[in-house]
Amino acid sequence: MRILVCVKQVCDSADTLSVNNAGAWVEHAPKSVFRINRFDEYAIEEGLRITERHSGSVLDIVSIGPQRVQAGIRRALGMGAHHGIHILKGEDTYVTPLERAFLISEAARSRHYDLVLTGVMAEDDMEGQVGGLTAAMLAYACATNVIYEETVPDRGEITVEREIEGGSRECITLKLPAVLTIQSGINIPRYPVLSHMLKSRTAALEQISAGMLGPSRPGQVIEKISPSPPAGIGELIEGSPYEKAEKLLEILHRHSLV
Amino acid sequence: MNRTVYVAALHEKGHFMQETFETISFAQELDKGKIVLLVLADEESVTTLSRQLFLETGLDTIGLKGNFLKGYSAEAYIKTLSSFFRDKEPACVCIPHTSQGADFAPQLSVALQACCITAVEAVGNGAFTRTMFGGKFKVEIRPTKQASVLTVLPGTWNPCSHGNIVQGELTITDVPDESVSTRTHGIRESSHKNAALSDSEVVVSAGRGVGKQENIRILRDLCSLFPKSALGSTRAVCDLGWLDYTHQIGVTGNKVSPRLYIACGISGAAQHVAGMKDSRLIIAVNTDIDASIFRVAHYGVVEDLARFIPLLIEAYIKRNRE
């Protein structure tokens, strides 16, 4: 099996974010820490499990963004991925799902992957589109919210369970090649192994400039980004911690709850 | 030029989902002109379903009939809709942001060379508003393509009112047979259902902000102050293995509407809020004053729960002694 896992690097803590000067995207505070999108960690782990079940498999990682995203790729190599592809794309601007999917599909097209995996969504923009868009661009089958998979490469098929409302599962069989978006909780992502991590520090990553893959076609632009308005109906309870506890009890009492 | 707004009317087990009617309201707010509802179904149910929707809304309804449309698959839906739109130039295709809608919308947008905006919460000035970063930021997105595929966040628009005046017409169209390689094997019911949780009068719920598994004990202690209470959690807490999935509240977990919901260390992502927003009294405890849970909470406490909840329990015991 040839597997590609699409990994996004996200800012670790949302409280260091503010709207940038242009009012077009967020700006990270200098102290911001970046890490792999949690949902993508489940995708990496599931990809690794498939490669372990089917000998001779290879697992590549692709990530889009500025130089810093290489840290995420190296961490994935530390977990056991074989090869990293970095699509170099400018600075910290909003890259639309359509652009991301375009870049991934162009980079993936000639490599003939059997499976492309990614998380159900990114924790930052939460759009949940890259999997579906990439599948359509590559003309691959696609299943989202995958919580269980069973690959049968000999038959060129994969059977999956998609998590739907209320935690029920829709069972389907797809023809390979396919794109799956992996739901959190499908597995427990492993920690990078030290020996892999050391190797990954010096591993040569393949770098492709986004411009080389084709002209940017964002499809949509951010007109405005602003902090969500503060609480509407709610009331913040003020005072010392103990006073807050007393006031809260009083409220519960008024509602006949204590 | 045909600049119609289309709505994909999603249905399940012979009924339209509530979200379908909400999405019709959304389409009406777009105010772009003609609205056409599309019902995809097999021969057996397409006429009944389409007629039902047509009579309820009075809007133009087209039933797309194909034998490969028995049950849902993204592939069948995309093939059907792509061939339907081949000779049309839709302004928008509006789809409920459910597990089905969110599954096929992005793929459909590629087939239609449209842009795709998911989980839309508001419209205005040619832009669509959605939230990002766990609800902390509101983002207005403007399409730069002719057509847009939009998924509409459930629970945001009221379901459309019944159309008293029938303006439209009802058509049933055969979809040419497509070869669909996806095989569907039906639905397996959830193993996350928890009657104790949905029947409780008080739910104390844990989010990632609980910090570590040991702190769950503090919430259990709080829970034990109330009769008929239960411990809930966000999906993240279950993914971390701190609680099992029967505690999960949200879109893919349990739905609760207790008399009191105490959200502890919960950021308030839409997926969680969907499972608890109907609670009668919502109290949120979180260290981050900007957490979006404070937007749904009736009362908020900005404190570290590991410190605050024990104080609350202590105050409760003291009060009962007096």
Side-chain angles (χ1 to χ4, degrees):
Chain A
M1 298 278 288
R2 293 182 52 74
I3 302 171
L4 176 70
V5 183
C6 314
V7 169
K8 189 177 189 182
Q9 196 190 41
V10 296
C11 182
D12 189 38
S13 59
D15 45 356
T16 60
L17 291 175
S18 55
V19 175
N20 71 9
N21 286 334
W25 191 229
V26 292
E27 196 167 77
H28 307 288
K31 60 171 178 172
S32 295
V33 177
F34 292 88
R35 58 165 169 77
I36 295 176
N37 172 40
R38 287 202 179 92
F39 296 105
D40 296 339
E41 285 190 342
Y42 293 97
I44 300 170
E45 177 62 38
E46 202 59 25
L48 290 172
R49 291 183 186 199
I50 298 170
T51 59
E52 286 158 4
R53 287 202 301 262
H54 305 287
S55 60
S57 296
V58 275
L59 192 153
D60 293 354
I61 298 291
V62 64
S63 193
I64 302 167
Q67 211 65 32
R68 62 167 163 76
V69 309
Q70 291 201 357
I73 301 177
R74 290 191 195 280
R75 188 180 162 89
L77 295 178
M79 289 170 74
H82 300 112
H83 175 65
I85 305 164
H86 174 205
I87 301 177
L88 183 65
K89 171 102 180 146
E91 285 316 298
D92 282 326
T93 52
Y94 173 61
V95 184
T96 69
L98 195 67
E99 283 176 290
R100 287 184 185 278
F102 170 76
L103 295 172
I104 292 167
S105 59
E106 286 307 302
R109 199 175 299 278
S110 60
R111 299 174 203 245
H112 306 289
Y113 293 105
D114 301 299
L115 265 183
V116 177
L117 309 180
T118 190
V120 284
M121 66 167 102
E123 289 168 81
D124 51 10
D125 64 23
M126 306 169 78
E127 292 180 271
Q129 292 194 36
V130 168
L133 295 174
T134 306
M137 288 174 187
L138 289 172
Y140 280 22
C142 182
T144 58
N145 290 6
V146 170
I147 193 74
Y148 172 82
E149 56 76 23
E150 205 179 305
T151 318
V152 194
D154 311 343
R155 264 188 280 160
E157 284 182 353
I158 184 163
T159 295
V160 304
E161 294 181 3
R162 297 182 58 235
E163 195 170 45
I164 59 171
E165 282 78 4
S168 297
R169 294 169 173 211
E170 190 178 270
C171 313
I172 55 176
T173 299
L174 304 174
K175 280 256 181 296
L176 294 173
V179 175
L180 310 181
T181 77
I182 302 294
Q183 173 68 296
S184 64
I186 188 174
N187 54 40
I188 298 171
R190 69 193 68 183
Y191 284 104
V193 180
L194 185 63
S195 62
H196 284 161
M197 253 345 245
L198 293 174
K199 243 191 288 169
S200 81
R201 287 224 301 253
T202 52
L205 303 185
E206 181 182 344
Q207 194 173 65
I208 311 171
S209 147
M212 294 289 292
L213 294 169
S216 173
R217 298 187 196 88
Q220 59 204 47
V221 290
I222 289 186
E223 197 100 302
K224 191 178 158 199
I225 175 163
S226 49
S228 293
I233 41 167
E235 178 190 322
L236 275 187
I237 300 175
E238 308 280 358
S240 71
Y242 201 83
E243 283 164 1
K244 288 178 186 172
E246 295 264 297
K247 285 181 188 171
L248 186 51
L249 277 180
E250 192 48 45
I251 291 161
L252 296 182
H253 181 71
R254 273 211 313 272
H255 285 84
S256 316
L257 287 157
V258 288
Chain B
M1 195 165 60
N2 175 355
R3 298 297 288 165
T4 304
V5 172
Y6 292 88
V7 175
L10 302 186
H11 54 87
E12 197 178 55
K13 293 177 189 154
H15 297 282
F16 288 97
M17 290 152 172
Q18 156 105 346
E19 290 85 351
T20 290
F21 298 102
E22 295 173 8
T23 303
I24 296 170
S25 289
F26 166 82
Q28 286 168 331
E29 193 182 320
L30 290 179
D31 202 21
K32 280 199 189 275
K34 193 170 159 182
I35 295 174
V36 175
L37 314 180
L38 302 175
V39 180
L40 283 69
D42 64 352
E43 190 166 5
E44 203 179 311
S45 56
V46 72
T47 312
T48 323
L49 278 169
S50 307
R51 179 173 300 278
Q52 181 196 337
L53 190 66
F54 172 68
L55 292 175
E56 275 191 46
T57 62
L59 296 167
D60 281 293
T61 306
I62 301 176
L64 298 171
K65 178 170 78 176
N67 279 331
F68 54 92
L69 290 168
K70 192 176 181 70
Y72 166 78
S73 88
E75 188 191 356
Y77 267 52
I78 293 156
K79 284 189 166 156
T80 302
L81 291 170
S82 307
S83 88
F84 172 77
F85 284 119
R86 197 155 291 147
D87 55 351
K88 298 176 182 68
E89 289 183 44
C92 299
V93 182
C94 310
I95 303 169
H97 191 80
T98 59
S99 64
Q100 285 183 4
D103 185 46
F104 74 85
Q107 296 177 72
L108 178 67
S109 76
V110 174
L112 302 185
Q113 296 185 353
C115 82
C116 183
I117 304 173
T118 51
V120 172
E121 293 177 31
V123 288
N125 303 325
F128 301 96
T129 305
R130 73 190 307 285
T131 60
M132 291 186 184
F133 299 93
K136 284 174 84 96
F137 290 95
K138 275 203 174 321
V139 185
E140 293 173 30
I141 303 174
R142 187 168 47 80
T144 55
K145 291 186 171 239
Q146 286 287 307
S148 310
V149 171
L150 307 165
T151 68
V152 177
L153 190 73
T156 314
W157 275 267
N158 289 320
C160 66
S161 47
H162 287 234
N164 293 328
I165 313 153
V166 174
Q167 304 150 315
E169 52 183 89
L170 171 65
T171 344
I172 306 288
T173 312
D174 277 310
V175 180
D177 254 341
E178 296 275 0
S179 71
V180 174
S181 60
T182 305
R183 299 202 306 276
T184 56
H185 315 296
I187 309 277
R188 258 186 39 194
E189 290 306 321
S190 172
S191 55
H192 305 172
K193 289 267 180 283
N194 181 347
L197 197 54
S198 36
D199 295 345
S200 294
E201 291 199 346
V202 176
V203 174
V204 176
S205 205
R208 192 189 287 275
V210 163
K212 50 184 177 186
Q213 189 168 21
E214 296 88 276
N215 286 346
I216 299 281
R217 186 182 45 83
I218 305 173
L219 303 191
R220 283 196 198 279
D221 292 345
L222 177 61
C223 223
S224 66
L225 302 185
F226 305 96
K228 281 198 176 174
S229 62
L231 189 62
S233 75
T234 62
R235 182 180 186 96
V237 164
C238 304
D239 290 340
L240 286 164
W242 294 350
L243 283 170
D244 71 56
Y245 285 94
T246 58
H247 293 274
Q248 189 200 333
I249 292 166
V251 175
T252 54
N254 293 277
K255 267 197 168 179
V256 297
S257 48
R259 285 177 63 204
L260 171 64
Y261 190 88
I262 309 181
C264 304
I266 291 175
S267 64
Q271 292 88 342
H272 178 75
V273 170
M276 50 65 77
K277 64 178 175 359
D278 296 331
S279 305
R280 257 195 277 160
L281 180 67
I282 300 170
I283 292 169
V285 183
N286 200 304
T287 49
D288 179 8
I289 192 166
D290 295 324
S292 48
I293 191 72
F294 288 128
R295 277 171 217 112
V296 292
H298 302 101
Y299 293 96
V301 178
V302 182
E303 284 292 340
D304 177 6
L305 64 97
R307 195 160 149 245
F308 179 73
I309 302 295
L311 272 180
L312 181 66
I313 295 170
E314 195 188 310
Y316 171 86
I317 293 167
K318 195 174 142 212
R319 189 192 177 103
N320 271 16
R321 239 189 266 130
E322 279 163 8

